[in-house]
């Protein structure tokens, strides 16, 4: 329940305050969001499987975002930023769809 309330407060604050992302950080925001979604869907899957651990979830969430941002940063420094960004999105997308498929199988027994 606390997580749902925090989500609602965060969405309302974002809509009302209209925060801006600094230009230097804009390439990293979509990657960070996809990495965070991967961690969230992994957490939901773990909860449904009965193996959820809150410490592991927080570490997974933070490390996913940091590693994805680091890969994109290194790609930018090497001059291949868009290619590495695409690679990160593809890898995390595959993980997200795998977790969603497992959640679907668990919920609908299909």
């Amino acid at each position: 329940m606390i997580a749902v309330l925090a989500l609602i407060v965060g969405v309302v604050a974002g809509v009302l305050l209209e925060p801006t992302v600094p230009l230097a950080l804009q390439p990293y925001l979509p990657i960070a969001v996809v990495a965070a979604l991967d961690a969230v869907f992994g957490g939901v899957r773990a909860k449904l499987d009965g193996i959820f651990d809150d410490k592991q979830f927080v570490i997974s969430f933070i490390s996913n975002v940091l590693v994805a941002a680091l890969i994109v940063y290194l790609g930018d420094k090497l001059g291949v930023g868009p290619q590495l960004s695409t690679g990160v999105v593809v890898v995390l997308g595959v993980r997200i769809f795998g977790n969603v498929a497992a959640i679907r199988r668990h919920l609908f027994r299909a």
Side-chain angles (χ1 to χ4, degrees):
M1 188 64 180
I2 293 173
V4 173
L5 290 175
L7 177 64
I8 292 170
V9 168
V11 169
V12 169
V15 169
L16 294 178
L17 298 176
E18 298 180 15
T20 58
V21 177
L23 189 60
L25 297 178
Q26 285 181 357
Y28 306 105
L29 183 62
I31 302 302
V33 169
V34 172
L37 284 174
D38 174 49
V40 168
F41 282 115
V44 170
R45 178 183 184 179
K47 181 71 172 172
L48 291 173
D49 289 342
I51 58 171
F52 181 79
D53 178 26
D54 56 345
K55 290 178 185 176
Q56 183 178 359
F57 172 74
V58 171
I59 291 170
S60 171
F61 188 90
I62 292 170
S63 65
N64 274 7
V65 172
L66 290 177
V67 169
L70 178 65
I71 290 171
V72 174
Y73 174 77
L74 290 175
D76 285 344
K77 293 300 178 190
L78 294 171
V80 292
Q83 292 87 348
L84 280 180
S85 294
T86 302
V88 169
V89 169
V90 168
V91 168
L92 292 175
V94 168
R95 288 173 43 110
I96 289 169
F97 280 107
N99 284 329
V100 169
I103 291 168
R104 184 196 68 235
R105 283 191 300 269
H106 190 274
L107 293 177
F108 300 112
R109 310 282 190 251

